[in-house]
Amino acid sequence: MGRALGILGCCLALALLPLPAAPRGPALRPRRQLRPGGRSADTACKNRPLDLVFIVDSSRSVRPEEFEKVKIFLSEMIDTLDVGERTTRVAVMNYASTVKVEFPLRTYFDKASLKEAVSRIEPLSAGTMTGLAIQTAMEEVFTEEMGTRPATFNIPKVVIVVTDGRPQDQVQDVAASARTAGIEIYAVGVDRADMQSLRMMASEPLDEHVFYVETYGVIEKLTSRFRETFCAVNVCALGTHGCQQVCVSNGASHLCDCYEGYTLNPDKTTCSAVDMCAPGRHECDQICVSNNRSYVCDCYEGYTLNPDKKTCSAMDMCAPGRHDCAQVCLSNDGSYSCGCYEGYTLNPDKKTCSAADVCALGRHDCEQVCVRGEQLYSCDCHQGYSLNPDRRTCSRAITSSLVTTEESCKCEAIAALQDSVTSGLEALSRKLEEVSEKLQAYQDRQQIV
């Protein structure tokens, strides 16, 4: 919150020293009483605009009458603020084991409505999930949808946690994340509150952001302390600065500034749009496109924008529907070229193909004859040759048509000789049979004698 918040540490060091033991409940009366109709006795200051979220503990340890004191504290805090849509917006969260957003920043823009809504809050009881409550504030309350102003408005995001116990979850890491996200955390401890936990969740410097009171009966003492912190009057808060866009407080003076995408003019009060796509002003990998005080990134043809919306990756230009090649598409680093099937050649348009003369010199590997097919070719041989098994080369062939007359005569003579020999053998066989019969007859006669 800057130097203007420094007042709080000094004041609290004196005002919030441990108090003497005192009975619980209403025995200690609050410093200020609300006037009839809910108006505070103090006049509301022109505080700096804030997006302010109260997170109040309503666990079992907070008695009903004590919770009513918390609600009075909230109402009196509202009275000290310059509430409005363009000034300070207020949200209230209620937590125990669960978390309830009673109303977000976008709901009420006047004090009467805010205080009426606070009066209707009921305690949840059981549990003290402080870390869960802060996490819910980050994720569900401090969003533009729920009424938080854009970061370019430079409106401080402030949380005031009021608790009387020890967190039952891991509050340290969650609070650290909230502070990193630009949320300023004030921790208000009451009675049994664990001081170490309060210091873990609060922003630095701790002596300006950690408060303690002994009972809920005196919690309203903090109202005036917060008023001194939030109501530091400056030119920027009063709206008399003359800056066209952004006013930056500078002690008793101020400076003007501009929203992102604008630059301050020589008059030091007005702003002019700048070229967000100028070198060094954007993070685009390939193409920067100016877009109403901002920019978007794009990619060259053949590339697609990655999920980070900044860098580009080469796309497959040969995917179906992305090219106009008639036959073959060849990818080439974000671009493509066309080719043709075997037997075709690429036409001058570099897209379509025509059938090629596959039997042209140098286009085939036939040894003797190339025979054209529809797209391919086959090999053949000259007369007197036959195609080898490799279907490309040829060998000389011997056929019946090449037998000479001399060879034919030799064949006939051999056939005649074979017939003569056969006839002689048949005649000799018959004579042998006759001799055999005569011999057998002679033997038979000798036996009879």
Side-chain angles (χ1 to χ4, degrees):
M1 301 291 291
R3 291 180 56 192
L5 299 184
I7 303 172
L8 185 59
C10 297
C11 295
L12 289 176
L14 296 175
L16 299 181
L17 291 173
L19 300 176
R24 285 184 167 275
L28 292 179
R29 301 183 62 80
R31 294 177 68 253
R32 293 185 293 145
Q33 297 292 326
L34 294 180
R35 291 180 177 178
R39 299 293 295 178
S40 169
D42 293 336
T43 303
C45 66
K46 287 285 184 180
N47 66 281
R48 289 157 294 172
L50 305 172
D51 284 339
L52 175 61
V53 178
F54 291 98
I55 301 179
V56 295
D57 178 0
S58 64
S59 57
R60 184 182 295 112
S61 61
V62 182
R63 300 173 183 176
E65 63 272 18
E66 293 174 334
F67 192 69
E68 289 301 314
K69 291 292 185 182
V70 175
K71 288 160 64 173
I72 293 175
F73 167 65
L74 296 183
S75 293
E76 294 206 347
M77 281 292 299
I78 290 169
D79 272 330
T80 69
L81 301 171
D82 184 17
V83 174
E85 184 176 3
R86 296 182 179 275
T87 51
T88 292
R89 300 182 181 184
V90 177
V92 175
M93 298 174 58
N94 187 9
Y95 79 97
S97 295
T98 58
V99 178
K100 180 180 180 182
V101 179
E102 296 291 349
F103 52 85
L105 295 165
R106 69 179 184 185
T107 307
Y108 304 113
F109 300 125
D110 65 274
K111 297 181 181 181
S113 300
L114 281 171
K115 293 164 67 174
E116 175 63 25
V118 167
S119 69
R120 296 192 298 267
I121 298 175
E122 295 294 333
L124 300 175
S125 63
T128 310
M129 305 297 284
T130 311
L132 177 61
I134 296 174
Q135 185 73 35
T136 303
M138 281 195 295
E139 296 177 353
E140 300 182 16
V141 179
F142 283 115
T143 66
E144 291 186 29
E145 292 78 12
M146 291 293 104
T148 300
R149 265 77 61 95
T152 54
F153 284 30
N154 292 319
I155 305 296
K157 301 181 182 69
V158 179
V159 162
I160 299 177
V161 180
V162 181
T163 180
D164 75 339
R166 179 191 300 272
Q168 295 175 346
D169 55 6
Q170 296 298 319
V171 73
Q172 184 173 8
D173 292 341
V174 176
S177 297
R179 295 192 301 267
T180 301
I183 300 172
E184 187 173 14
I185 302 177
Y186 290 86
V188 177
V190 183
D191 193 12
R192 299 165 293 270
D194 177 58
M195 290 301 298
Q196 183 177 359
S197 298
L198 297 178
R199 295 173 66 85
M200 285 181 180
M201 72 178 79
S203 297
E204 294 284 353
L206 295 180
D207 59 353
E208 296 180 11
H209 292 84
V210 178
F211 308 147
Y212 175 78
V213 292
E214 290 192 342
T215 69
Y216 282 99
V218 295
I219 192 173
E220 292 174 75
K221 286 180 174 289
L222 298 180
T223 305
S224 60
R225 305 301 183 263
F226 276 112
R227 184 180 188 280
E228 292 173 1
T229 300
F230 296 151
C231 296
V233 177
N234 58 59
V235 176
C236 291
L238 295 177
T240 59
H241 48 77
C243 298
Q244 184 182 28
Q245 291 186 356
V246 179
C247 177
V248 180
S249 181
N250 182 22
S253 184
H254 73 283
L255 299 172
C256 295
D257 201 356
C258 301
Y259 301 137
E260 184 177 0
Y262 287 81
T263 184
L264 194 65
N265 292 326
D267 62 12
K268 302 300 182 182
T269 57
T270 60
C271 302
S272 296
V274 298
D275 180 9
M276 295 301 294
C277 286
R281 295 191 63 88
H282 64 87
E283 299 176 313
C284 297
D285 185 26
Q286 293 186 355
I287 299 174
C288 175
V289 181
S290 291
N291 182 26
N292 188 26
R293 296 185 300 174
S294 185
Y295 68 90
V296 293
C297 298
D298 201 357
C299 301
Y300 302 134
E301 184 177 0
Y303 291 80
T304 184
L305 195 64
N306 292 327
D308 62 11
K309 302 300 183 183
K310 298 176 184 178
T311 58
C312 300
S313 297
M315 66 176 66
D316 183 7
M317 295 300 294
C318 284
R322 297 195 65 87
H323 66 89
D324 51 6
C325 297
Q327 291 186 357
V328 179
C329 178
L330 305 171
S331 284
N332 183 23
D333 190 25
S335 183
Y336 71 94
S337 59
C338 298
C340 299
Y341 302 135
E342 185 177 359
Y344 287 81
T345 58
L346 192 65
N347 292 327
D349 63 9
K350 302 299 183 182
K351 300 176 183 178
T352 59
C353 302
S354 296
D357 181 4
V358 294
C359 285
L361 185 64
R363 294 188 63 88
H364 65 87
D365 54 1
C366 297
E367 183 181 27
Q368 292 187 358
V369 180
C370 175
V371 181
R372 296 178 182 86
E374 182 178 353
Q375 296 182 11
L376 304 176
Y377 66 90
S378 60
C379 297
D380 202 355
C381 301
H382 299 312
Q383 187 175 2
Y385 290 82
S386 61
L387 194 64
N388 291 328
D390 63 9
R391 314 305 297 174
R392 294 184 288 109
T393 61
C394 299
S395 298
R396 183 181 292 278
I398 300 177
T399 64
S400 59
S401 62
L402 300 177
V403 177
T404 64
T405 302
E406 182 181 357
E407 290 171 339
S408 178
C409 292
K410 289 180 180 180
C411 289
E412 291 176 0
I414 292 172
L417 177 61
Q418 288 176 342
D419 290 342
S420 176
V421 172
T422 300
S423 298
L425 289 173
E426 290 177 351
L428 180 60
S429 178
R430 284 193 298 272
K431 287 182 180 181
L432 288 173
E433 287 178 358
E434 289 175 358
V435 172
S436 178
E437 289 176 355
K438 289 179 181 181
L439 179 61
Q440 185 64 41
Y442 173 76
Q443 290 176 346
D444 291 340
R445 282 195 304 270
Q446 287 296 323
Q447 290 179 351
I448 294 173
V449 174

